[in-house]
Amino acid sequence: MYSLIDGKRISQEIKDELKDKVSQLKQQGIEGCLAVIQVGADPASSVYVRNKKRACEYIGIASLSYELDQNTTEEELLELIYKLNADDKVNGILVQLPVPEHIDENKIIQAISPAKDVDGFHPQNVGALVSGLPGYISCTPAGIIQLFKRSGIEIAGRRCVVVGRSNIVGKPMALLMLRENATVTIAHSKTENLKEICKNADLLIVAVGRPKMIDASYIKEGAVVIDVGIHRNEDNKLCGDVDFDSAAEHTAAITPVPGGVGPMTIAMLMHNCVEAMTK
């Protein structure tokens, strides 16, 4: 019988710990503030932004919200970022991705001061992760490490397969698992013999971006499966990259969608925001 890895519960634990830490920092006269910028009114982005604001409110830090028109120019967005970089009251800056096509996403990420890059996307913070130096770690991979640790799942010495190679999840996830002494393979949708590679994994982390792609035939009996994907199926219900109904019974533990990785991303964003308060 498999166990569910409860991201809702674990993320709440982390937010409660952060709430206490923020309270202690406030007693020392240290305040926190996250600036969140959204360009356009993409419904999914609006939900994420709203959840981030609520999390800020819960742990006790201020949030500034900039909801910009879809037609905002790249220059206007960069000007706002530079202004926030220079504002000593703002500890963290987050631009909700994706941005409209006429804006260069990489240019925006690189414009944010690395010291305020609480998403962990700036090349300086990514380089710090590669080198094992201090820096902000992207929130979803950092959250997955906490799911393992707080669920009592051993990482060291185990074979891990990460399916996905994005800059936001796949690559930093593999680096973090290496840091935790796992033996790591990075695979993706174009990997030959993907099924056989996945079946070697003790720890299978799926961030391939395809609904229900990974079913029981990809999973070693007794593996731990982390599903990073989030999609809407034909019935408009949320589902992941893993076919949960097929896969779950073959696992030792698995994350649900929703309620698995998603809440952890916001919890670790809050963690980075609190770190920024002390820098």
Side-chain angles (χ1 to χ4, degrees), residues 51-248:
N51 288 341
K52 288 165 186 174
K53 287 186 207 164
R54 282 180 186 155
C56 285
E57 188 178 352
Y58 183 80
I59 70 164
I61 65 174
S63 63
L64 299 174
S65 183
Y66 297 88
E67 290 160 8
L68 308 182
D69 185 84
Q70 177 80 14
N71 298 317
T72 298
T73 66
E74 184 175 277
E75 290 72 23
E76 288 168 331
L77 178 54
L78 287 169
E79 191 177 321
L80 173 58
I81 290 168
Y82 297 143
K83 179 183 158 194
L84 293 168
N85 281 344
D87 187 340
D88 290 339
K89 291 179 182 173
V90 174
N91 312 98
I93 302 169
L94 181 154
V95 177
Q96 184 63 42
L97 303 178
V99 289
E101 285 184 3
H102 65 277
I103 295 173
D104 183 339
E105 189 173 288
N106 286 326
K107 197 182 283 188
I108 298 308
I109 288 168
Q110 291 175 39
I112 298 169
S113 164
K116 298 188 179 188
D117 167 42
V118 287
D119 259 335
F121 295 163
H122 191 284
Q124 185 170 313
N125 284 317
V126 176
L129 174 59
V130 173
S131 307
L133 297 171
Y136 295 114
I137 297 169
S138 48
C139 304
T140 299
I144 291 167
I145 295 294
Q146 289 300 312
L147 285 178
F148 283 131
K149 290 188 171 182
R150 292 176 185 245
S151 300
I153 295 165
E154 186 67 38
I155 300 175
R158 301 185 81 184
R159 286 173 294 183
C160 170
V161 174
V162 179
V163 188
R165 51 180 167 172
S166 72
N167 291 336
I168 291 172
V169 180
K171 291 175 188 173
M173 188 75 252
L175 289 164
L176 283 176
M177 294 300 280
L178 277 173
R179 185 185 282 188
E180 296 293 333
N181 298 313
T183 300
V184 182
T185 300
I186 303 176
H188 45 80
S189 58
K190 293 183 173 59
T191 298
E192 288 187 12
N193 304 319
L194 178 61
K195 197 172 282 191
E196 287 73 18
I197 289 167
C198 289
K199 286 198 87 159
N200 281 322
D202 304 309
L203 309 172
L204 180 62
I205 301 167
V206 186
V208 72
R210 295 188 180 182
K212 297 188 177 184
M213 175 178 161
I214 304 297
D215 61 19
S217 65
Y218 287 78
I219 295 167
K220 173 183 172 183
E221 200 71 33
V224 175
V225 177
I226 306 290
D227 187 354
V228 183
I230 187 154
H231 315 274
R232 294 235 173 233
N233 66 14
E234 56 279 1
D235 301 320
N236 204 35
K237 288 186 177 174
L238 290 172
C239 66
D241 290 350
V242 176
D243 183 353
F244 185 92
D245 293 338
S246 159

